[in-house]
Amino acid sequence: MNVLSSNPAARAAVRQGVSVSVATGLYGISFGALSVAAGVGLGPTMALSLLMFSGGSQFALVGVIGAAGTPVAAVATAALLGLRNTLYGAVVSPLLQVRGWRRLAAAHLTIDESTAVAVAQPGPAASRIGFWVTGIGVFVLWNAFVLLGALAGDALGDPRAWGLDAAAAAAFLALVWPRLAPRSAQLVAGLAVVATTALIPFVPPGIPVLAAAAVAVVVGLVTPTAPGTVVEPEKESVP
Amino acid sequence: MTTTALWATVLVASLACYALKLGGHLIPRTWLASERVSRATTLVTVALLVSLVVVQGFADGSALTVDARVPALVVAALALALRAPFILVVVLAAATAAGLRALGWG
């Protein structure tokens, strides 16, 4: 990687990748502690972090299990949350141009953070560096800190006393915050709040999230205007 | 949930999530040319994350509650509005909830 010493764009991609990796990795402490507290043991918690490796899906699955949800609801929620990684894969695949085992590895490392850093770079070479540095960095640090959180979680006692449940809520808020600029996103966010709040008392855990996703699919498919050119979502298209 | 069911849930969900990631890498570029498909996927992400904020911030089992998580979310929102970095937002929310609970509320 001699390109790193001579190319400012590559160095910037590395810097961004490392800082995102550290910030995201540290958050693994919350997941490790919450997962163990939800009744998911150390082994399954680490299996989730190593094999699923998608923060939103991991938190969602553990949340459904912790709320005594069914396995089907847990799998469905995790998979639906993982659906955005399909889009990310389609976006980064042309940038990476990899085949064989590297493509399998790239797929595993395709998450919010690696995609975000990759697409933010000025050229394909920096994008590739940003993707791999972020993907590998988050993978290593996330799993290390999940292990730490899972082990320390037992010693810490109730994670609520440390505010870790609020930390998870805040993390989801931080993830969605930059996506709320378009009017269509604000509309969907409002509908998601209403649907979730209305359903929580009446349906099994996990279902409110799926219902909110279904509302978004309907809005996305029936709204005729193109992304980026949205001025005002069509009111009559919303149930 | 039994240990076997838990492991099965973890492994099946992990396999599903990996298949979704790999599927994206194998999709021909033209497939996502549809604006509606890409718009729906973008909006689903927003809906899922917002719904998770509500569930994680206001649900206690099948009850809706207001406890220390709510002021923590307000603090997080203020920090986000001030462009605080991700990790600071999370730490501030945790500290707010932990502090309020240490004082005996929520």
Side-chain angles (χ1 to χ4, degrees):
Chain A
M1 300 270 256
N2 53 358
V3 65
L4 296 190
S5 56
S6 58
N7 188 334
R11 283 204 304 273
V14 171
R15 267 202 308 276
Q16 286 179 22
V18 169
S19 60
V20 167
S21 298
V22 171
T24 309
L26 275 172
Y27 184 51
I29 293 177
S30 301
F31 176 74
L34 272 177
S35 183
V36 168
V40 181
L42 178 62
T45 295
M46 289 316 298
L48 271 179
S49 280
L50 291 161
L51 301 176
M52 180 175 284
F53 188 53
S54 188
S57 296
Q58 289 178 231
F59 271 108
L61 184 125
V62 163
V64 173
I65 290 175
T70 65
V72 171
V75 171
T77 307
L80 257 171
L81 268 170
L83 188 61
R84 70 186 188 282
N85 291 329
T86 305
L87 176 66
Y88 296 160
V91 170
V92 297
S93 181
L95 296 171
L96 298 176
Q97 302 276 3
V98 286
R99 292 284 180 275
W101 72 268
R102 284 189 181 83
R103 175 177 258 183
L104 298 178
H108 194 50
L109 298 178
T110 300
I111 54 175
D112 290 304
E113 293 81 10
S114 57
T115 304
V117 173
V119 302
Q121 303 309 314
S127 286
R128 282 193 286 277
I129 290 167
F131 178 86
W132 289 109
V133 168
T134 311
I136 294 169
V138 172
F139 186 79
V140 170
L141 293 176
W142 171 259
N143 281 292
F145 282 110
V146 167
L147 180 61
L148 186 67
L151 293 174
D154 292 331
L156 292 170
D158 185 359
R160 294 178 72 251
W162 297 91
L164 290 178
D165 53 345
F172 287 128
L173 184 64
L175 283 173
V176 77
W177 195 270
R179 304 169 196 268
L180 291 176
R183 294 293 274 279
S184 56
Q186 292 168 9
L187 172 73
V188 164
L191 291 172
V193 169
V194 171
T196 307
T197 309
L199 287 175
I200 282 173
F202 305 109
V203 298
I207 303 299
V209 179
L210 301 188
V215 169
V217 169
V218 171
V219 173
L221 292 181
V222 302
T223 309
T225 40
T229 62
V230 181
V231 178
E232 184 66 44
E234 301 296 321
K235 297 295 186 207
E236 67 273 17
S237 69
V238 180
Chain B
M1 198 178 291
T2 66
T3 304
T4 309
L6 176 62
W7 271 106
T9 303
V10 164
L11 295 178
V12 169
S14 296
L15 192 63
C17 285
Y18 182 72
L20 285 168
K21 291 176 175 178
L22 185 61
H25 281 260
L26 299 179
I27 287 174
R29 252 181 279 181
T30 50
W31 191 86
L32 281 172
S34 160
E35 283 171 353
R36 289 185 177 204
V37 171
S38 101
R39 166 201 283 274
T41 312
T42 304
L43 292 179
V44 163
T45 299
V46 170
L48 289 171
L49 289 169
V50 167
S51 186
L52 283 167
V53 171
V54 175
V55 169
Q56 190 67 41
F58 297 87
D60 182 8
S62 61
L64 288 165
T65 61
V66 174
D67 60 20
R69 291 172 291 175
V70 177
L73 273 174
V74 172
V75 169
L78 286 172
L80 286 165
L82 295 171
R83 300 174 180 272
F86 185 86
I87 190 69
L88 181 61
V89 171
V90 172
V91 168
L92 283 174
T96 303
L100 288 170
R101 283 168 182 155
L103 294 172
W105 187 79

